[in-house]
Amino acid sequence: MNFQKNLQLKSFAEYKKAYQESIKDPETFWDSVADTFYWHKKWDKTLEWDFSTPEVKWFQGGKLNITENCLDRHLDTLGNKTAIIWEPNDPDEESRHITYRQLFVKVSHFANVLKNNGIKKGDRVCLYMPMIPELAIAMLACARIGAVHSIVFAGFSSTAIASRINDSNCKMLITANEVYRGTKKVNLKTICDEALQNTPSIETVIVYRRTVEPTPMTAGRDVFWFDELQKATKECPAEVMDAEDMLFILYTSGSTGKPKGMVHTTGGYMVGTTFTFQNVFQMDPDDIYWCTADIGWITGHSYIIYGPLAAGATTVMFEGVPSYPDYGRFWEICDKLNVTHFYTAPTAIRALAKQPLELVHQHNLTSLKVLGSVGEPINEEAWHWYNDNIGKSNCPIVDTWWQTETGGIMISPIAGITPTRPTFATLPLPGVQPILMDEKGNELELKAEKAEGRLAIKFPWPSMARTIYGNHERYKDVYFSAYPNKYFTGDGAYRDATGNYRITGRVDDVVIVSGHNLGTAPIENAINEHEAIVESAVVGFPHDIKGNALYAYVTLYNGISPNDTLTKEIKELVSKSIGAIAKPDKIQFVSGLPKTRSGKIMRRILRKIASKDVSNLGDTSTLLNPEIINKIISNSL
Ligand code: 7RM
C-alpha cells in the first residue's frame, strides 16, 4: 500500500472536479478520504453540525487510534523506512535516523512509562521540550494511550507554562534538563521548577537528559526519562478512541485575556492533516520533507508529526536555529540530507535574504523540488528571493494559509498541480468554503471581479478545532458571533476575479511577530504590572525582518519621568511573563492614550502613528481626548 500517493490529486482538472464534488456533497467526499485510513470500527455518521451553538462532529461512531495510522499500519511496507531524521543544533554532533519500526517501538515503550506513572485516557499532559525526537515520541505516546497532550513552546516563560498547565489541569509535565539553541544553552528544568511552584495539579515530572549537566530533581515528583524506560515493558496496544475524543490542546494568543486552549479531536484532525499534507506537498516515496517550525506551534503538530507520519513520509526535525554556526545552516542541512520539500516562514526567509548570497551558493540545493511558506503574508520581495535563490525558479512555492484553529491547511496551491502567484495563497483546498464579508456583514459574492473583505468560512471541515478548553462560550464569541452561522478567521483578504485569495493580515488585536501570534492584551497586562506605570497600549508596526514588531505606548504616574531603567524594566517584565519574543522594539512614554468615550483605547490610531502613517487618522471626533494625538505624534519614535 502506498500511503503517500493514494490521496493525491494529479492535475488541475482533477483538483477542480474534486473541489466541486467536495462542495456539492461534502459527506461523500470526506467519506472517500477517511476510507483510506485504519479504523477499528467505521463511523455511522459523517458530519453533524450547527455553527450557531457551535457544534461540529465528524465521523461519529468511528473508532481509531491516530498512532496506529502513523506507525502500525506502515510496519509491513515501510518498517525500515526513515520516519524521522533529527538534525542537532551542533553540526558536529551526529544526526539520528529513526525508522518507522524503531519509532513504533520507542512510542509504545514510552507509552508504558506514562501508564506506569498513572496517566490514563483523557488525562492532560504538558510537554515543554526542545526539538528532539523525544518530543515526537512523548506526543505520540500520549496519543497511543488516549492522553491529551498540551505542548508549550520551549521559549515561553515559567508564568506562561504555569497558566497553561492550570487552565487544563495537567497531571504530568514532561521536559528536558537543558536545550541547545545556537551558542546558548537554556536550562528548561529550572524554568519548569519555577512554574511548578504554582501548578498544584502536576503529580509527576519526567525529565529527559539532553546534556550531562547535573539536574536539580524534587524527590517524589521528578523522575528521569531513562530510568523510567528501564522499568517499562515495550509493547503497548493502542487505546481505541472515538473519532471525537480529544487528541490535544494547543494554546494560542487571543486579543483579550488569557490564551485560548484550542481543542482538536482525533478522527477529523487525522483525516484533514493527512489529506492536506499529501496534496499540498505532493511527495514521492523517497522524498525528504523538512518543515522548520517548532513542534510547539500548530505547524509542527500537523506538518512535522501527524500529517507526514500518517502519510508514511520522511520528516526532518531540526534542533537549532537558522543562524548557527552561520546563516547558511538551513541550506547546509538541505544539502546534507537531500531535502526535497522545504517549508518555512516568511520571517525566516526575510532574515536569510539579508545575508550574503554566498551563504546560499556554498551549498548544493538541487535536491529541492517544492518550497513552502506559512505563518504570515509573504511579501513580494521575499517571495522572489525565495523563488530565485532557493528554488532556482524551478520549485513551486506553496503559500499555505491556515490557523491553529483550522488544524490544517485551508487555502494553498497544490505543488505542481495548481497555479502559484506571488503573495497569493491562491485557491481553497477541497472541502474548504471560504467567503469574504463586507463591513456590513454581507457576503461578497464570487463574481467576475475582485473583492476585499474579512475572511470567513461557511462550512465545517474535518480538522477544525471543536472548542476552547473549558470555555465553549468564548469559542462561540470569538469565532462564530461576528457573522451568524459562519466561522470568522480574524484575517482580512483580497480575492481576484478568478477566485485566488491573498491574505492581507489580522484585523483584530493580535500581532504576528516573526511568525508568532502575539496577543497585545497580555503584553499590556505585563507592562502594567510595573509600579510606575498607569497603563499601556501595544500595537504592531511593519518590520523588515520580523514582519511586524511591537510598539508600546506607556503612561507613567505623575511625578515620574521617563528613563532608560524604566525601559529596561518594561522589557524584563514582558520577557518574564510571556517570553523574549514579546519584548517591544519601541517604547514611547506618553501623557495619555487616545480613548473612546466608553474608555476603550483607540489602537487603530496608535497603529497608524507607529507605522508613520499619520496623514489620515480617520474620524477622531468620537475621542474623549483628541488633543493627545498631536502630542503623541510629535514625540513618536
Ligand atoms: C499556521 C499558523 C494564524 C494566522 C492567520 C494569519 C497568519 C498564516 C498565512 C498567514 C498570510 C499565509 N497558525 N497566516 N499563514 N497569513 N498567508 N500563508 O500560522 O494560529 O499561528 O496563525 O497566521 O493571520 O490567521 S497560527
Side-chain angles (χ1 to χ4, degrees), residues 252 297-299 343 373-378 399-405 411 425 489-491 503-506 512 515-517:
T252 183
W297 311 117
I298 191 66
T299 306
Y343 189 26
S373 172
V374 61
E376 31 177 353
I378 179 165
D399 177 355
T400 64
W401 174 82
W402 58 295
Q403 309 175 295
T404 304
E405 296 85 342
I411 303 179
T489 64
D491 284 336
I503 315 302
T504 46
R506 307 291 301 180
I512 304 182
H516 298 169
N517 253 8

Side-chain angles (χ1 to χ4, degrees), residues 395-521:
C395 303
I397 296 179
V398 290
D399 177 355
T400 64
W401 174 82
W402 58 295
Q403 309 175 295
T404 304
E405 296 85 342
T406 69
I409 299 170
M410 302 289 277
I411 303 179
S412 169
I414 295 179
I417 305 293
T418 66
T420 63
R421 178 171 167 192
T423 78
F424 279 71
T426 73
L427 299 169
L429 293 179
V432 176
Q433 303 192 32
I435 46 173
L436 290 181
M437 309 297 287
D438 70 14
E439 304 259 292
K440 298 195 187 77
N442 299 316
E443 181 176 342
L444 294 161
E445 301 287 337
L446 183 59
K447 294 194 215 106
E449 59 188 60
K450 54 193 168 45
E452 192 158 4
R454 294 174 170 220
L455 184 64
I457 316 280
K458 69 173 176 191
F459 196 83
W461 61 100
S463 66
M464 67 188 288
R466 302 295 194 260
T467 189
I468 291 174
Y469 191 86
N471 199 345
H472 197 66
E473 268 311 297
R474 188 172 179 202
Y475 177 66
K476 182 179 167 177
D477 274 5
V478 176
Y479 304 104
F480 297 91
S481 42
Y483 312 112
N485 292 311
K486 297 185 172 65
Y487 168 85
F488 175 48
T489 64
D491 284 336
Y494 163 92
R495 185 179 58 212
D496 72 9
T498 48
N500 286 295
Y501 286 86
R502 178 168 74 197
I503 315 302
T504 46
R506 307 291 301 180
V507 297
D508 54 18
D509 285 327
V510 171
V511 184
I512 304 182
V513 179
S514 300
H516 298 169
N517 253 8
L518 298 173
T520 53

